[in-house]
């Protein structure tokens, strides 16, 4: 076996040790960013006068041929390819000969891998943002169909006050707004280029790092080479962004599992997003949502892995850091797939307004009764108490609150007039919550307007994605 670093070694590596330390099985997916980084680095070496334009041309052609092999699937890894960086360089040497050995001048795999992983992360952020925005589009579409669809709103999973299904959809829309903004913020700190940090102390060949960073689409260069090669904060950050987005999706999934049960029957999933039971023929299971809930555990696990990985590391690069990639890749893949499935499930979700309306209970208007008294000048605390007495009286009589007679109401307080009857109207209650952010159909129109403005600014091609430089550079 010939290893890149084989100069001082006489004996070969134990087979299990080789298996233990190799990362090619998973970091192979960095091939495109690795070659992108090397192409730019070759240009930087040329600009610094370290290699001739002719040599730079040979390196560029060779790297492009390696890229073509990856693209058409003909690239073959060899047992002594430790990782993607050594594999690309090994192949480059086979294709263009010894001049390949000039590419790594002043560069270490330490600044190289940190650069590659940042380029990968920036692309992943753009992809995830697009997928979140696509899901948000589906939520708004459902919401716009259901501004008049009344349903119980819950606290403590108890019927609390009437809301609209549109309002429920939009709650998740705004949660996802924060997820996109968080990813965008993460991109700002990811878009810092470590290349030029060398192994740890810096590049000795007067590379123009600012030009190199611009070439690669980074918005800044790392300020300190020690930090440059060992900083994995950006991975912790994207894993947090993903874990929290996953937690949001998991909450939505939990609502929808519940709402699709026979006990609620508020919604039904399309067959395309359901599974059957191998034993019970009648079953149609909300597996898409259960897996969404389950995957969030995995997203949180990846975040915990990376935090645990970095917390005790001495300066600077340590091989422990090779363990950063699998949680990163898994988190991105998991969230990406989840987002697409949830978008499909939301798009094809069938809503049952009759079932939602049937779950509304006049007692959910007890707050409105208190508000009625407030409008007659009764202090809210007293009004709350009097409304509570009406709830108790109805319960005692085993009738709905709306069935109490005027005499019943007046036995509780003379502040109640015959117009108390008008309070028992769920649509009226919903319409009265008319502040910005409220559930009234009018306030919802405002939400939609803001949502559409936001979506227009965050759809692909809107310029928003360019905020996180480095992506698709
Ligand atoms: N495969 C390694 C990683 O992912 C690349 C960096 C190797 N650097 C080193 N000093 N051994 O971390």
């Amino acid at each position: 076996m010939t290893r890149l670093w084989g100069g001082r070694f006489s004996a070969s590596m134990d087979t299990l040790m080789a298996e233990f330390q190799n990362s090619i099985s998973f970091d192979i997916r960095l091939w495109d960013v690795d070659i992108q980084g090397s192409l730019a680095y070759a240009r930087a070496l040329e600009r610094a006068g370290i290699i001739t334009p002719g040599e730079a041309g040979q390196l560029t052609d060779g790297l492009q041929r390696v890229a073509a092999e990856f693209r058409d699937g003909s690239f073959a890894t060899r047992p002594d390819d430790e990782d993607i960086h050594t594999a690309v360089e090994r192949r480059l040497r086979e294709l263009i000969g010894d001049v390949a050995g000039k590419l790594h001048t002043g560069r270490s795999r330490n600044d190289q891998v940190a650069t590659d992983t940042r380029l990968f992360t920036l692309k992943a952020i753009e992809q995830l943002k697009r997928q979140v925005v696509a899901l948000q589009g589906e939520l708004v579409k459902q919401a716009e169909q259901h501004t008049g669809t009344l349903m119980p709103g819950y606290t403590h999973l108890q019927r609390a006050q009437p809301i609209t299904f549109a309002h429920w959809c939009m709650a998740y829309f705004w949660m996802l707004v924060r997820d996109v903004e968080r990813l965008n913020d993460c991109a700002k700190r990811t878009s810092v280029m470590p290349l030029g940090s060398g192994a740890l102390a810096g590049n000795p060949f007067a590379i123009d790092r600012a030009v190199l960073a611009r070439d690669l689409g980074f918005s800044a260069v790392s300020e300190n080479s020690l930090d440059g090669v060992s900083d994995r904060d950006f991975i912790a950050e994207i894993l947090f962004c993903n874990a929290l987005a996953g937690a949001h999706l998991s909450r939505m999934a939990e609502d929808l599992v519940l709402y699709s049960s026979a006990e609620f029957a508020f919604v039904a999933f399309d067959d395309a997003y359901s599974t059957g039971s191998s034993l019970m023929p009648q079953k149609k299971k909300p597996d898409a949502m259960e897996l969404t809930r389950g995957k969030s555990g995995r997203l949180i696990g990846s975040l915990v892995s990376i935090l645990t990985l970095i917390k005790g590391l001495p300066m600077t690069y340590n091989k422990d850091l090779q363990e950063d990639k699998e949680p990163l890749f898994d988190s991105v893949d998991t969230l990406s797939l989840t987002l697409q499935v949830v978008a499909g499930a939301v798009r094809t979700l069938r809503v049952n307004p009759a079932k939602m309306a049937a779950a509304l209970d006049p007692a959910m208007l007890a707050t409105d009764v208190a508000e009625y008294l407030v409008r007659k000048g009764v202090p809210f605390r007293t009004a709350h108490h009097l409304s509570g007495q009406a709830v108790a009286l109805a319960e005692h009589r085993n009738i709905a609150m709306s069935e109490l007679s005027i005499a019943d109401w007046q036995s509780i307080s003379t502040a109640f007039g015959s117009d108390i009857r008008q309070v028992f109207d769920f649509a009226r209650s919903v319409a009265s919550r008319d502040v910005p952010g409220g559930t009234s159909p009018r306030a919802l129109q405002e939400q939609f307007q803001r949502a559409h403005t936001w979506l227009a600014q965050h759809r692909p091609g809107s310029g928003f994605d360019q905020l996180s430089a480095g992506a698709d550079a």
Side-chain angles (χ1 to χ4, degrees), residues 160-460:
Q161 290 185 317
I163 58 168
T164 61
F165 183 62
H167 203 47
W168 178 92
C169 293
M170 293 307 288
Y172 287 101
F173 174 91
W174 295 111
M175 251 181 249
L176 295 170
V177 162
R178 295 194 296 274
D179 291 326
V180 170
E181 289 175 352
R182 218 177 331 267
L183 280 167
N184 204 42
D185 201 52
C186 169
K188 288 183 207 155
R189 279 176 298 278
T190 306
S191 188
V192 175
M193 185 193 72
L195 198 55
S197 298
L200 77 162
N203 187 303
F205 293 107
I207 295 292
D208 188 334
R209 295 187 68 209
V211 174
L212 179 55
R214 229 172 297 133
D215 195 3
L216 280 170
F218 283 104
S219 44
V221 300
S222 54
E223 297 284 354
N224 177 297
S225 61
L226 305 180
D227 187 36
V229 293
S230 60
D231 173 17
R232 296 295 184 274
D233 292 1
F234 66 101
I235 300 183
E237 283 195 42
I238 187 182
L239 294 194
F240 174 72
C241 294
N242 290 0
L244 189 52
H248 291 155
L249 298 179
S250 179
R251 287 183 63 189
M252 188 199 296
E254 170 60 15
D255 273 353
L256 290 176
V257 167
L258 208 57
Y259 293 170
S260 65
S261 69
E263 280 70 15
F264 281 78
F266 290 179
V267 297
F269 288 106
D270 194 82
D271 283 0
Y273 295 94
S274 312
T275 60
S277 160
S278 57
L279 191 141
M280 300 165 283
Q282 85 281 11
K283 282 252 166 151
K284 191 175 146 185
K285 297 180 293 183
D287 280 22
M289 293 302 116
E290 291 171 41
L291 280 167
T292 296
R293 205 170 50 190
K295 300 277 186 198
S296 71
R298 195 166 156 162
L299 294 169
I300 293 165
S302 294
L303 171 62
V304 174
S305 295
I306 191 80
L307 290 173
T308 313
L309 184 70
I310 58 186
K311 81 169 181 64
L313 289 186
M315 279 289 186
T316 51
Y317 179 85
N318 298 270
K319 192 68 169 244
D320 313 43
L321 288 176
Q322 181 165 285
E323 293 288 314
D324 62 358
K325 282 166 213 66
E326 285 161 294
L328 171 64
F329 297 159
D330 189 72
S331 173
V332 169
D333 294 344
T334 299
L335 183 60
S336 170
L337 190 55
T338 306
L339 284 165
Q340 295 171 77
V341 169
V342 173
V346 169
R347 185 182 67 247
T348 54
L349 190 72
R350 284 193 306 281
V351 178
N352 190 335
K355 285 283 188 186
M356 289 181 175
L360 294 168
D361 162 359
M364 295 174 68
L365 298 170
T367 311
D368 297 66
V369 168
E371 287 156 3
Y372 162 93
L373 290 176
V374 165
R375 293 202 172 88
K376 306 246 170 196
V378 181
F380 179 74
R381 279 293 149 228
T382 312
H384 183 279
H385 191 79
L386 294 172
S387 175
Q389 286 183 319
V391 173
L393 181 60
E395 221 167 69
H396 180 73
R397 296 255 187 84
N398 208 15
I399 56 171
M401 207 181 170
S402 51
E403 288 167 50
L404 291 172
S405 68
I406 300 300
D408 291 333
W409 287 106
Q410 292 198 328
S411 74
I412 294 166
S413 166
T414 50
F416 286 114
S418 58
D419 53 351
I420 185 64
R421 284 284 163 78
Q422 290 160 21
V423 170
F424 290 93
D425 175 345
F426 297 112
R428 189 200 140 280
S429 167
V430 161
S432 74
R433 321 263 159 216
D434 197 34
V435 289
T439 194
S440 84
R442 201 207 53 82
L444 270 162
Q445 293 307 323
E446 267 176 28
Q447 278 194 63
F448 293 154
Q449 243 171 45
R450 288 180 199 279
H452 283 298
T453 306
W454 189 92
L455 281 173
Q457 287 164 350
H458 293 80
R459 284 217 160 94

Side-chain angles (χ1 to χ4, degrees), residues 15-301:
T15 329
L16 283 178
M17 173 56 194
E19 185 186 332
F20 192 54
Q21 76 120 16
N22 285 1
S23 55
I24 186 76
S25 62
F26 51 87
D27 66 17
I28 193 157
R29 70 188 282 179
L30 294 176
W31 72 264
D32 56 339
V33 287
D34 191 72
I35 292 177
Q36 185 189 346
S38 287
L39 284 166
Y41 192 67
R43 290 189 284 269
L45 288 173
E46 183 195 343
R47 279 191 299 270
I50 307 301
I51 60 174
T52 65
E55 289 169 334
Q58 279 176 279
L59 290 174
T60 302
D61 288 351
L63 285 165
Q64 272 158 359
R65 283 168 66 192
V66 180
E69 290 185 0
F70 274 107
R71 230 173 275 122
D72 69 20
S74 66
F75 187 95
T77 56
R78 290 212 331 226
D80 50 348
D81 289 337
E82 284 181 27
D83 53 27
I84 184 60
H85 325 293
T86 55
V88 169
E89 198 179 323
R90 186 262 308 157
R91 185 65 187 137
L92 184 64
R93 186 185 305 269
E94 287 167 3
L95 291 172
I96 66 169
D98 277 349
V99 65
K102 294 206 169 189
L103 178 61
H104 215 52
T105 312
R107 186 173 69 167
S108 158
R109 275 186 293 163
N110 296 353
D111 57 350
Q112 184 178 4
V113 73
T115 303
D116 290 4
T117 312
R118 283 173 185 267
L119 288 172
F120 170 89
T121 302
L122 286 166
K123 283 189 182 174
I125 288 172
E126 291 313 312
Q127 176 197 318
L128 291 173
K129 276 179 358 192
R130 274 198 296 278
Q131 289 165 341
V132 177
V133 169
L135 167 57
Q136 288 177 292
E138 300 301 343
L139 282 167
V140 174
K141 270 189 227 156
Q142 279 287 4
E144 285 174 334
Q145 302 298 306
H146 292 287
T147 49
T149 303
L150 303 177
M151 68 180 278
Y154 298 86
T155 59
H156 313 275
L157 206 52
Q158 295 183 4
R159 290 171 179 168
Q161 290 185 317
I163 58 168
T164 61
F165 183 62
H167 203 47
W168 178 92
C169 293
M170 293 307 288
Y172 287 101
F173 174 91
W174 295 111
M175 251 181 249
L176 295 170
V177 162
R178 295 194 296 274
D179 291 326
V180 170
E181 289 175 352
R182 218 177 331 267
L183 280 167
N184 204 42
D185 201 52
C186 169
K188 288 183 207 155
R189 279 176 298 278
T190 306
S191 188
V192 175
M193 185 193 72
L195 198 55
S197 298
L200 77 162
N203 187 303
F205 293 107
I207 295 292
D208 188 334
R209 295 187 68 209
V211 174
L212 179 55
R214 229 172 297 133
D215 195 3
L216 280 170
F218 283 104
S219 44
V221 300
S222 54
E223 297 284 354
N224 177 297
S225 61
L226 305 180
D227 187 36
V229 293
S230 60
D231 173 17
R232 296 295 184 274
D233 292 1
F234 66 101
I235 300 183
E237 283 195 42
I238 187 182
L239 294 194
F240 174 72
C241 294
N242 290 0
L244 189 52
H248 291 155
L249 298 179
S250 179
R251 287 183 63 189
M252 188 199 296
E254 170 60 15
D255 273 353
L256 290 176
V257 167
L258 208 57
Y259 293 170
S260 65
S261 69
E263 280 70 15
F264 281 78
F266 290 179
V267 297
F269 288 106
D270 194 82
D271 283 0
Y273 295 94
S274 312
T275 60
S277 160
S278 57
L279 191 141
M280 300 165 283
Q282 85 281 11
K283 282 252 166 151
K284 191 175 146 185
K285 297 180 293 183
D287 280 22
M289 293 302 116
E290 291 171 41
L291 280 167
T292 296
R293 205 170 50 190
K295 300 277 186 198
S296 71
R298 195 166 156 162
L299 294 169
I300 293 165

